[in-house]
Amino acid sequence: MPGIVNGEYVKITGVWIKHNVYGEQFKGLSFEKGELITTAAILHYLSSRAIKGVGPSLARKIVGRFKEETLDVLENHPEYLVDINGISSKKAKQISEDFKSQFAVRDLMMFTKDHFSPAMTMKMHKLWGAGAINYIKQNPYSLCDSIDGISFAKADTFARTIGVKSDDPNRIMAAIKYALNYNASNNGHTMVPRDTLINLVASLLELPEEKIYEPFEELEQMGEVVTEKYANTQVTYLATYYDAEQYIVKKLTLLDKMCAKEPVNDIDRLISQ
């Protein structure tokens, strides 16, 4: 299971199943990490080489010195570690950073365990590091923007469970981008009439249309969507699709200027060659 290292205590929830070859087996569905409370548990954890640069011998020195305060020292006072023979200031800092990274994964797993798989949670940690929980709390819709495999619907369900309001601007902006992406991927259209898009997003989120306008304009100001006039209608693109279309237009225009001109009445002969 991702996020578990040797020496940690875990509580695994699951079911017993019957395997055709190996017989009765326990299938884990979720897990929780146990607290490292006693000095024995802390020593066992550190001795397992879970922390880079800390083996059994150094673990005994650290736990022998700081006892139940060991975890607090590792997280908040790494400078205390230099009092132990064999630990330099640089090594103390590395030990603390590795320890905090592992416990950040642990906390993130607990924060997301009812909604995302451990593998998906590890993607979040890899992208945002130790500050992942705060980052996600500030805008849970960054999950569907930044993590491949997390849909708007999944991010929205998670966001609502942590208290995001139905008219939160981040929710509305994420829905606008989702609608544009969906339309491009499933219908082949890189743009949508602006009024149609606003109506669609309002219906999707079950909000009045007037709630959509301000977040829509914020996306335009941020450069994430582009609105322009086409055939007397205001249409909106995701900026990535707009830029791609403009690039194609420039290349086709360049080709047209560089290619030799041939008479139209002679086109059949040229095709047959």
Side-chain angles (χ1 to χ4, degrees):
M1 292 181 177
I4 296 178
V5 296
N6 185 26
E8 288 189 294
Y9 294 92
V10 295
K11 176 183 177 182
I12 302 175
T13 302
V15 294
W16 290 100
I17 60 173
K18 191 77 172 181
H19 193 278
N20 292 335
V21 177
Y22 303 107
E24 191 174 43
Q25 292 185 322
F26 184 76
K27 180 180 180 181
L29 300 176
S30 63
F31 70 92
E32 295 181 16
K33 295 187 178 186
E35 295 291 338
L36 299 174
I37 299 175
T38 66
T39 55
I42 296 170
L43 178 60
H44 183 61
Y45 169 70
L46 293 179
S47 297
S48 69
R49 301 184 189 277
I51 305 298
K52 186 177 180 181
V54 179
S57 177
L58 189 54
R60 285 193 293 272
K61 291 180 182 179
I62 294 172
V63 176
R65 178 67 177 272
F66 300 110
K67 306 292 190 297
E68 290 85 357
E69 304 299 319
T70 297
L71 299 185
D72 180 60
V73 169
L74 293 178
E75 182 173 6
N76 300 309
H77 305 288
E79 66 276 9
Y80 294 175
L81 294 173
V82 299
D83 293 337
I84 296 175
N85 186 32
I87 300 182
S88 64
S89 295
K90 181 179 179 181
K91 186 170 184 176
K93 183 178 179 181
Q94 290 175 339
I95 290 172
S96 179
E97 288 177 352
D98 195 39
F99 172 78
K100 285 189 284 189
S101 177
Q102 287 198 19
F103 269 69
V105 173
R106 170 200 186 106
D107 293 340
L108 185 59
M109 290 275 185
M110 294 301 101
F111 181 59
T112 63
K113 67 185 178 69
D114 293 330
H115 300 274
F116 303 105
S117 69
M120 198 64 72
T121 302
M122 289 303 293
K123 287 185 179 181
M124 300 173 200
H125 177 72
K126 184 176 181 180
L127 182 62
W128 297 311
I133 291 178
N134 287 335
Y135 189 87
I136 293 168
K137 283 181 177 179
Q138 289 174 8
N139 181 13
Y141 296 95
S142 58
L143 292 168
C144 56
D145 278 346
S146 306
I147 306 292
D148 187 36
I150 298 181
S151 66
F152 169 77
K154 189 77 172 176
D156 191 41
T157 299
F158 173 71
R160 301 306 301 279
T161 63
I162 63 172
V164 174
K165 295 181 179 180
S166 62
D167 61 350
D168 185 284
N170 287 322
R171 182 175 189 246
I172 296 170
M173 288 189 285
I176 291 168
K177 290 185 284 185
Y178 162 73
L180 287 168
N181 253 323
Y182 182 90
N183 191 57
S185 302
N186 293 274
N187 302 325
H189 304 302
T190 57
M191 53 80 167
V192 178
R194 190 178 190 275
D195 291 343
T196 301
L197 181 59
I198 289 174
N199 178 265
L200 175 64
V201 171
S203 298
L204 174 66
L205 302 181
E206 298 182 341
L207 293 171
E209 288 189 11
E210 54 265 27
K211 291 284 188 179
I212 312 301
Y213 295 127
E214 189 172 334
F216 197 110
E217 291 172 1
E218 186 173 346
L219 277 179
E220 291 175 324
Q221 293 169 5
M222 292 164 60
E224 293 195 38
V225 302
V226 176
T227 300
E228 67 175 14
K229 197 170 186 178
Y230 174 77
N232 296 319
T233 302
Q234 291 292 109
V235 296
T236 300
Y237 302 76
L238 274 176
T240 50
Y241 293 139
Y242 180 81
D243 291 342
E245 283 201 355
Q246 293 302 304
Y247 176 79
I248 292 169
V249 168
K250 289 178 182 178
K251 287 297 182 181
L252 289 175
T253 301
L254 182 61
L255 283 173
D256 182 58
K257 290 179 179 179
M258 295 179 64
C259 289
K261 301 295 188 292
E262 298 291 343
V264 176
N265 57 9
D266 203 27
I267 198 69
D268 290 336
R269 178 183 64 79
L270 292 171
I271 292 174
S272 65
Q273 288 182 349

